[in-house]
C-alpha cells in the first residue's frame, strides 16, 4: 500500500484546502503560500512521488493534468496573458512534497524562468 502524502490527504478531504477542481483522476487546489495572484497546484489523485517515478502507464494521466491546467487558466482569467507551469523534481528541483504536482502560476509578469542564486 502506498503511504499517504500531504496532498493525498487533501485529495481525500482529510486536510482542508481550497479545491478549485476535482475529478476521478486529478485534484487542483490553491497553494497555501502563493507566489503570484494565481497559484494553483494540479495533482494526480494517484500518488507518484516524483517525475523519476513516472511510468508509461501514467502517460494519459499526466496529459490530463495539462487539460486541467488549460481549463483552470481560462477559468482564472489568466489564459490570454499567459502563465507558467512548473514541476519540481528532487533535491536540485527544490521539491518539497513528494507527490508529483504541477504549479499553475500567473496573474502577473513572472520574469525570467531561472535565476542564479
Ligand atoms: P514543491 O516545492 O514543488 O514540492 O511545492 C510544494 C508546494 O506545496 C509549495 O508551493 C507549498 O506552498 C505548497 N503547500 C504545502 N502545504 C500546502 C497545503 N497544506 N495546502 C496547499 N499548498 C501547500
Amino acid at each position: 500500500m502506498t503511504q499517504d502524502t500531504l496532498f493525498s490527504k487533501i485529495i481525500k478531504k482529510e486536510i482542508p484546502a481550497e479545491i478549485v477542481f476535482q475529478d476521478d483522476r486529478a485534484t487542483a487546489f490553491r497553494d497555501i503560500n502563493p507566489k503570484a495572484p494565481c497559484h494553483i497546484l494540479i495533482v494526480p489523485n494517484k500518488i507518484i512521488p516524483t517525475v523519476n517515478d513516472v511510468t508509461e502507464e501514467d502517460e494519459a494521466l499526466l496529459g490530463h493534468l495539462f487539460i486541467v491546467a488549460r481549463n483552470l487558466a481560462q477559468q482564472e482569467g489568466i489564459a490570454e496573458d499567459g502563465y507558467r507551469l512548473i514541476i519540481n523534481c528532487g533535491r536540485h528541483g527544490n521539491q518539497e512534497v513528494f507527490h508529483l504536482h504541477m504549479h499553475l502560476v500567473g496573474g502577473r509578469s513572472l520574469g525570467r524562468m531561472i535565476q542564479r542564486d
Side-chain angles (χ1 to χ4, degrees), residues 19-22 28 30 38 40 67-80 83 104:
I19 294 177
V20 292
F21 172 83
Q22 185 162 51
R30 296 197 190 277
C38 173
I40 291 170
I67 300 296
V68 174
R70 180 202 64 189
N71 292 344
L72 285 173
Q74 199 75 46
Q75 197 174 297
E76 294 285 312
I78 61 170
E80 196 174 324
Y83 48 87
L104 167 63

Side-chain angles (χ1 to χ4, degrees), residues 6-7 30-33 41 88 94-97 101 103:
L6 173 63
F7 290 169
R30 296 197 190 277
D31 196 292
I32 205 167
N33 183 19
L41 302 175
N88 295 320
N94 251 312
Q95 183 176 2
E96 289 171 16
V97 179
H101 52 282
H103 296 250

Side-chain angles (χ1 to χ4, degrees), residues 17-102:
E18 193 182 340
I19 294 177
V20 292
F21 172 83
Q22 185 162 51
D23 67 8
D24 59 331
R25 289 185 284 171
T27 301
F29 48 89
R30 296 197 190 277
D31 196 292
I32 205 167
N33 183 19
K35 299 291 190 292
C38 173
H39 188 168
I40 291 170
L41 302 175
I42 304 168
V43 188
N45 295 342
K46 170 187 173 183
I47 299 173
I48 303 169
T50 81
V51 173
N52 291 336
D53 302 298
V54 165
T55 68
E56 304 297 327
E57 204 180 90
D58 300 319
E59 196 168 339
L61 171 62
L62 297 174
H64 183 58
L65 301 188
F66 280 87
I67 300 296
V68 174
R70 180 202 64 189
N71 292 344
L72 285 173
Q74 199 75 46
Q75 197 174 297
E76 294 285 312
I78 61 170
E80 196 174 324
D81 283 335
Y83 48 87
R84 189 167 288 157
L85 298 174
I86 303 164
I87 299 176
N88 295 320
C89 179
R91 194 159 47 90
H92 281 188
N94 251 312
Q95 183 176 2
E96 289 171 16
V97 179
F98 285 79
H99 184 152
L100 191 151
H101 52 282
M102 179 187 274

